[in-house]
Amino acid sequence: MNYYLEVGVLSKDVEHYINRYLDAYLLVTKRINAQIRDSIASELTNDQYLILRLINGQELCTSTYLAESSAVGKSSITAIINRLVEAGMIERNRDEQDRRQVYLSMTDYGRTAFDAAEKQVQEVVSPYLLYFDEKDIEKFIMMFEQLGQLMQETGGKNS
């Protein structure tokens, strides 16, 4: 572990990097989220899009998985799931062997809405990628994925 983090004191360099990261993160996510929200507003909220994206990536998706993956409480996930079920975009399916287990899956309508939103998100993000070399894009994404993996392994805590 980094000595400065271990004793609770940040070096000026680390503090500078953290501030730069936070400034860039907040600017980028605020603007990208607003652009995504505006492009998919007719069908989905950003949170609903995220939930459909997570469901799409799982063969057997549970609300617990969604809560853990999106780092929000189960009650928040339940509210989003209920709205998506009411909109006809997802359905709940009980496990045949364990009726207590409920899996979530997209309906045909949900798949159509998700696919359209995916296309719109790509149209929002892809123009920004034109400003970078492919190797820089790959390096940035790899480092961001490594940060995400580290956070998953540590439970989001700096252990």
Side-chain angles (χ1 to χ4, degrees):
M1 177 182 284
N2 182 315
Y3 170 76
Y4 294 108
L5 297 177
E6 192 171 303
V7 296
V9 178
L10 292 178
S11 75
K12 289 290 183 196
D13 288 341
V14 172
E15 188 175 328
H16 175 72
Y17 290 137
I18 290 170
N19 286 330
R20 284 180 57 198
Y21 167 77
L22 289 173
D23 290 345
Y25 169 79
L26 293 172
L27 176 67
V28 169
T29 56
K30 182 178 179 182
R31 297 225 175 145
I32 288 290
N33 284 340
Q35 290 176 9
I36 289 171
R37 181 184 61 243
D38 292 345
S39 73
I40 64 174
S42 63
E43 290 284 331
L44 301 167
T45 66
N46 284 12
D47 288 340
Q48 290 170 336
Y49 167 72
L50 171 65
I51 295 305
L52 290 179
R53 186 169 174 77
L54 290 169
I55 291 171
N56 185 61
Q58 289 291 306
E59 186 175 335
L60 298 173
C61 187
T62 64
S63 59
T64 300
Y65 168 79
L66 295 176
E68 290 171 359
S69 296
S70 55
V72 298
K74 286 186 180 182
S75 62
S76 296
I77 290 299
T78 300
I80 296 169
I81 290 169
N82 287 341
R83 285 191 293 276
L84 288 167
V85 167
E86 290 167 12
M89 292 190 188
I90 65 172
E91 58 189 8
R92 293 178 173 105
N93 305 296
R94 294 209 177 267
D95 186 293
E96 292 300 318
Q97 280 71 41
D98 182 356
R99 302 291 293 163
R100 296 170 297 174
Q101 187 68 268
V102 177
Y103 298 111
L104 305 165
S105 60
M106 274 191 263
T107 63
D108 289 341
Y109 173 60
R111 168 74 49 206
T112 300
F114 173 72
D115 289 345
E118 280 279 274
K119 185 175 185 226
Q120 291 165 326
V121 168
Q122 289 177 9
E123 289 173 5
V124 165
V125 176
S126 63
Y128 295 109
L129 298 179
L130 298 175
Y131 291 93
F132 302 96
D133 293 330
E134 188 173 345
K135 67 178 175 54
D136 291 334
I137 295 168
E138 180 64 27
K139 184 176 181 179
F140 169 76
I141 292 171
M142 279 180 40
M143 292 176 72
F144 211 65
E145 289 170 340
Q146 287 174 344
L147 178 59
Q149 184 66 34
L150 178 64
M151 294 179 105
Q152 277 187 317
E153 289 171 1
T154 63
K157 294 183 177 46
N158 191 11
S159 47

